[in-house]
Amino acid sequence: MLKIWKGKWKQETGSNRLQVDNMGDADGGVSSLADSTSSAPSTSRLNCDNLPASVQESERPPKRRKTKHQAGADIVSGFPRESIVLYDPCLRSHSQSLDISIAHSTRQHAFFNPYATASQQINEELGLCASDLSWKRALVDIENSLPLHGDAEDVTDVTARMRLKARDVIKSWTFSMPNLNIYTVGCNVSPKFLRLVQVLKACEPMRKGFRGIVFVSNKTIACAMLDLIRAIGDLQAFRCQVLGGDETPETQEEILQAFGAETYNLLIASSLTEDLDIPRASLVVRFSLPNGYLSHAYTYSRSQGSQSQVILLAEKENSTHRLTLELLSKMSDAMKMWGLEYTPSVLPPSTSAQLKPFINPSCVGSEGHQHLTEPVTGARIYPTDATMLIYRIGAQLREHSPTLTSGDLRIEYEVSHHVSGHPAYVCRIILPGLLTGTFAGDASVSKSQARRQACYAACAKVIESGLLDPRLVSFATMNANTLSMPPLSEKNTGTRQFIMKRPNFWRGFRYGPTKTLYPTVICADSLKADGKHYGPLIVLTRDPLMELPAVQLYFAGVADNVPLLRAAPMEVDEHQLSLLNKYTIRAYRLTTNKRETCSIEQMAYFVAPLVPTWTAPRADAFYPTRFPNVATDICWDSITVAAARWAIPLKYGSADVVAEDIADAVVQDRAGEFTRRYDHLKLRPDLTPLSNPEDRQVPGGASNESLLDYVRSHSTTFEGLEDENQCIIQVNQVANWFDHLSPAFTPSPDAKNPKYLIPEVAWKCTIPARQVPFNSAKITVQFKRLSASFGQSSCCLPSCMLLPAITAPSVGYDYDYERLELLGDAFLKYISSIYVFVVHPEKEGVLHAIRKDLISNASLLSRAVHIGLPQYVQAKNPLLKMWLPPHFKAEGKPDDDGVNDDDDGPVVEDNIQPAENGTLKNTAGRKRKAKRKIANFWNPTPVQWLGDKVGAVFKRPKKILSHNFSDRGGCRRGYYGCCVLTGGRDLGLQVIKDLGVPLSAVSQWSDFARQAVLPSREVTVTLKPGSLQAVEKITGYKFKKPHLLAQALTHISHKSASYERLEFLGDAVLDFLVIRNIFREDERHTPGALTILKAAMVSNNVLAALCVYSELRESNPRKQAEEYALAEKEGRMPGQYWFEVEAPKPLADIVESVLGAAYVTENFNIAHGPDVIYEHLLKPFYDRHISLQTLAHHPTRVLFERVRIAGCRALEVVKKDSTRIKHHSVVIHGKVMGIGEDRNASVASRLASVSALEALDKNCQFLTRVCVCRRA
């Protein structure tokens, strides 16, 4: 079976590698495949002598199992015989193609781009002959779009003139016949198609009952293959027909019936038709490999069991094809049997993850084709995709509800009526626990078409109800527009201007009149951080939202999570929709204090309060898709009051009356909508309007006026009070609710400058204080973050990891990519080093140069720009104070608020205390400047500045220089780090390849071990007796290949294989091990701390000290003994005693090369070899000597920092190097402060800095007395 594909790929004598026999000459040479008793000798063979018995299963007798299938087919018995046919990579032809001639004559006009793209694809799949023939089909479309008469020179329209020229070129072109002889220069077919021809020639198409199916990627390839086969004389016995997938259901049924009746004996089918009930065939060829387990199960369903042959075409040395074959080899027997016994009523017995395609499909269809749009990802769902999606939904239901059986999830058919003597089928999908549990489609001419209709209708219902998990939808691979590198900025050195990705989350929603809204509950009642009680709110959208994580808010720096709960759809009428619109505008204006409005038709979402007694229900474990109904819990009374009026007067009088009225109220000092608002602190029954509180502050200092006199003197409309003995309210101004979105927000102390209001001249908002709308602002900001990050990602990553990976520190969020960047940088160095080590057999110096070209900052930036990644980087603070919801616009009239305020009463202009500075500034200029600065999130061309120098910023322990100098490659490396944490090394490798790093020779991790070429035992030295056992005892690891250890311990001066290549690999392995472990040890470590720890752990001096400490190198560690004795005497941990030792570099190289040898020994698996050595040897040494508390800073760095803080700029290090002794002097303002001498320059510099620090400690006033840099 397919397990034999897990063998080696290349041909290699005497090893466990594929032994591939050529399939004969171009004119044939393949034995018959029609004989059911023998397998085809022309396919790929295995030398199975050295393979395990579990792998040698290709010739086992087929299982004898009988089952029924569609009428007219034979009885299936056993699995079909499967064979892999390998073909050579397609080489580019040097012949003049029709593509080039048309492009030259039409000047690459845009009209011909689709035809040229199709021709290029055909050329790669079938060859130059088929590529030229494809233009014959295009000629029909070109001529239909031409004017009735005229030459190319007489036509004025450019497009028409180009079409005329293309028509003339095609008609005058000499089309050549297919040349299958690979030994001639004129061979014009691809090696892949040549293999197909050889397979077909080996068949006996004239035998009664023979049917063959060739599955290709799309209809374009199918039509070109049809033209090519018809042009080959040796294949005239095949009666071919194309099944492209875009035909009408009636046409498809006619083709399938004709194929079953053997009117056609060879069907060239697109992969879009896999789910159709195609009659079983004796030969099934996968010209394009199956893209998933479901796709290959369909291959089984089209075969006649043991009476048929399945051929899989795969390209030699193609890592993607190899990966596909290896994945297919893991297909379960249950899934194979489902395909073999294919019954249209049974869902496949597989998980939702196993039903996912191996590779995201290419984008098919166009704007005019019928499709559904998944609202979260924007992925399109065509009718051809609906069946697979329903299968995955059914599998997910089984995973959530284990009690569901295969009988509960099923597909039923019935005949509704007859049309022209043919039955019309209606299909019903039974999915218990999902909405009503039954979904039916329109009647169709066949069961397969009826199944598609029912599945498509079910998908529409699930999307409409908001129950579709976005992870179940496969992203269609779009052809990304290649972007060019922006020029460097003239003002901001080293930065470039990039256009930001505009949020498209709300743009995909439906707008206009609606009766159905989808609630998402903001459970603000769970907030307990600031001691206040908040009521639950709901966000109502026209389309269902995805399942969102909890919203994080901050109170005094402490995070508090607000859960978000999806609720069942609800129906609203026009009046209720109008109330929701007005209430949402009120809530927005209360949040932002801006005069903006939005019509009902254009409002993206509505906000509404729930009754205070509402509590979140417990989830139904058996039916997780059943959402709670909140339609009856909406507080319509509050909505009606808020929609009619903005503010109402406060009650005044006794303390009891005022206390009852201000409970749960937001107080304001005037009736106007845009004014200051206050939280009441307490009632002051001891004060009246005639009082003058002692702690009262007014502009200019204390006031001698009473509260009443102050209001009378500062208001032009005040007419007096009815009650001069009413109590007073002490208030505190409401903080900006957006501040709770930032972890750095610290509330100001209450009552620092107490303010007092007279109830009779005060008002309260109609929106209660518990219905705080800043949560809706937060959720909108979160939507913006999500919509900017979803894009067209190559892999599914959780938003909690993806968002930090693309967010720069300059944004100011509580997360950014700095920590992930360190991990991603180590992983990128790690994987690129492995790749260079495996692919290039050169020496260490050459390997360094090649790796630099792969992962340099300039290279990463170029590839990131090429695939359009900078547009998703969040490097710009969104300026929440300027936040504006979708489609909200400023009103035309300044005094018109767009909401019914007819009953608001007269607005008191000046019955409030003036601004704190005593004046009312003219803010018109500032408002105009703010409008010019930023409009809102929906700016049509938002831009940001991103920097080039990534490694230079993050390889040194320093912060980003400016808020707009984002780390472009750092974000990219942060993305790698995100993938490593999420899916391990395999996902990290996939993302690195998807993001453009050229690792073309590998597609999965096992390719490294397969392609590695290691030195043999003959070219390595022999270890001394006892050396192997000694090293294994020290490292804690048993070396399975001692000759690799011998190479790791051999110096480069030796004539045999030395350790330089293993040291190059081990250096990257060590970096990754160190970063990974310190990253996991403490999440509170800052990026700077991680950088310092990593630099200390991988330095040459540390590794050399480790080598001596562990006795890998025999030595007399005098400094070590002295430090240990001193540490024991002082009662502390040992420090870094190796700073003053000139360590030979080979000592550090030995540690890295031993790690590299263990890594290669374990077939590039870090868990078995290097991890063992790290835990047994390196980690104990690091734990004993290196920590942030005991880590000694380099004295030179301390000296420079001390002088810099003092403001001195006159420090220099004078070096006088002789042949043997290095003399370094530290000079400050012409005075020598320290001298150091040593044979090693770094040690001499260190000694000079230590001496200078001691001199400054003894003379503390030296810099103050001598330095004049600050005064200068």
Side-chain angles (χ1 to χ4, degrees), residues 415-484:
V415 179
S416 62
H417 57 277
H418 288 73
V419 179
S420 303
H422 299 285
Y425 297 91
V426 173
C427 177
R428 288 185 176 86
I429 312 294
I430 311 299
L431 299 174
L434 188 65
L435 297 176
T436 60
T438 302
F439 307 90
D442 298 333
S444 190
V445 295
S446 66
K447 288 185 177 181
S448 58
Q449 294 292 346
R451 183 172 60 250
R452 278 188 176 182
Q453 294 290 338
C455 291
Y456 190 76
C459 291
K461 289 291 185 181
V462 173
I463 292 176
E464 183 180 356
S465 60
L467 299 178
L468 181 59
D469 188 345
R471 294 170 295 181
L472 298 180
V473 183
S474 300
F475 285 92
T477 303
M478 306 289 289
N479 294 326
N481 296 327
T482 301
L483 303 179
S484 57

Side-chain angles (χ1 to χ4, degrees), residues 605-655:
Y605 58 87
F606 306 91
V607 178
L610 295 180
V611 294
T613 57
W614 182 89
T615 56
R618 298 183 62 181
D620 191 335
F622 186 75
Y623 294 109
T625 57
R626 290 184 177 177
F627 298 145
N629 186 2
V630 297
T632 58
D633 296 315
I634 295 178
C635 191
W636 288 106
D637 293 340
S638 297
I639 295 175
T640 303
V641 172
R645 299 170 60 88
W646 172 252
I648 57 177
L650 271 179
K651 294 181 181 180
Y652 57 92
S654 65

Side-chain angles (χ1 to χ4, degrees), residues 1089-1102:
L1090 293 177
T1091 303
I1092 293 173
L1093 286 173
K1094 184 246 183 182
M1097 292 179 176
V1098 300
S1099 67
N1100 287 333
N1101 279 358
V1102 172

Side-chain angles (χ1 to χ4, degrees), residues 67-68 280 338-339 341-347 391 413 451:
T67 181
K68 295 181 179 180
R280 295 182 182 265
W338 177 85
E341 300 177 343
Y342 179 70
T343 303
S345 301
V346 180
L347 274 66
Y391 286 165
Y413 303 89
R451 183 172 60 250

Side-chain angles (χ1 to χ4, degrees), residues 720-733:
L721 297 177
E722 295 183 2
D723 185 1
E724 295 185 354
N725 294 319
Q726 58 186 292
C727 64
I728 300 300
I729 309 172
Q730 184 175 340
V731 297
N732 186 43
Q733 188 165 345

Side-chain angles (χ1 to χ4, degrees), residues 1002-1181:
V1002 296
S1003 61
Q1004 56 184 334
W1005 206 269
S1006 59
D1007 291 341
F1008 289 127
R1010 179 177 59 84
Q1011 296 191 16
V1013 179
L1014 305 178
S1016 63
R1017 301 175 186 271
E1018 288 74 15
V1019 298
T1020 56
V1021 299
T1022 303
L1023 289 173
K1024 296 179 181 179
S1027 297
L1028 175 62
Q1029 292 76 15
V1031 173
E1032 289 179 345
K1033 181 179 179 181
I1034 293 171
T1035 60
Y1037 171 72
K1038 186 174 180 59
F1039 284 86
K1040 302 173 185 177
K1041 299 178 181 179
H1043 70 285
L1044 289 180
L1045 177 61
Q1047 181 186 352
L1049 299 176
T1050 304
H1051 192 261
I1052 57 176
S1053 60
H1054 202 279
K1055 296 181 180 179
S1056 302
S1058 66
Y1059 62 61
E1060 63 174 344
R1061 282 176 53 83
L1062 289 176
E1063 181 268 330
F1064 170 82
L1065 179 62
D1067 173 69
V1069 173
L1070 177 62
D1071 274 11
F1072 181 66
L1073 280 172
V1074 167
I1075 281 291
R1076 188 194 64 182
N1077 283 276
I1078 63 177
F1079 189 94
R1080 292 174 176 174
E1081 281 179 359
D1082 193 346
E1083 295 183 355
R1084 295 171 297 179
H1085 280 330
T1086 63
L1090 293 177
T1091 303
I1092 293 173
L1093 286 173
K1094 184 246 183 182
M1097 292 179 176
V1098 300
S1099 67
N1100 287 333
N1101 279 358
V1102 172
L1103 296 180
L1106 172 65
C1107 185
V1108 175
Y1109 170 85
S1110 62
E1111 299 182 358
L1112 277 174
R1113 170 72 162 83
E1114 296 180 0
S1115 179
N1116 183 17
R1118 179 179 57 84
K1119 286 288 185 181
Q1120 173 182 322
E1122 293 176 357
E1123 174 62 20
Y1124 281 6
L1126 183 61
E1128 183 178 358
K1129 180 179 179 181
E1130 297 178 355
R1132 58 174 175 83
M1133 295 294 292
Q1136 293 80 54
Y1137 58 85
W1138 48 80
F1139 277 137
E1140 298 180 6
V1141 179
E1142 183 181 357
K1145 187 176 182 299
L1147 293 182
D1149 293 344
I1150 289 176
V1151 178
E1152 295 173 341
S1153 61
V1154 169
L1155 279 173
Y1159 187 63
V1160 175
T1161 300
E1162 295 295 339
N1163 290 328
F1164 300 88
N1165 190 333
I1166 201 171
H1168 298 154
D1171 263 346
V1172 174
I1173 298 177
Y1174 184 87
E1175 293 294 332
H1176 189 270
L1177 176 62
L1178 281 82
K1179 192 174 186 300
F1181 180 81

Side-chain angles (χ1 to χ4, degrees), residues 525-595:
D525 54 321
S526 64
L527 284 176
K528 299 180 178 60
D530 61 347
K532 297 181 181 179
H533 175 71
Y534 299 100
L537 300 172
I538 57 173
V539 176
L540 298 156
T541 55
R542 289 179 168 86
D543 285 327
L545 298 179
M546 69 251 186
E547 185 177 353
L548 292 172
V551 175
Q552 199 167 52
L553 302 175
Y554 299 91
F555 297 87
V558 178
D560 201 352
N561 291 326
V562 180
L564 302 179
L565 177 67
R566 299 171 66 186
M570 55 177 287
E571 300 294 326
V572 293
D573 55 30
E574 293 183 2
H575 175 66
Q576 291 175 327
L577 201 63
S578 175
L579 290 177
L580 290 173
N581 173 258
K582 294 178 180 179
Y583 182 87
T584 303
I585 294 175
R586 296 289 195 200
Y588 164 75
R589 294 185 173 191
L590 176 63
T591 304
T592 62
N593 219 14
K594 293 180 182 177
R595 189 182 297 272

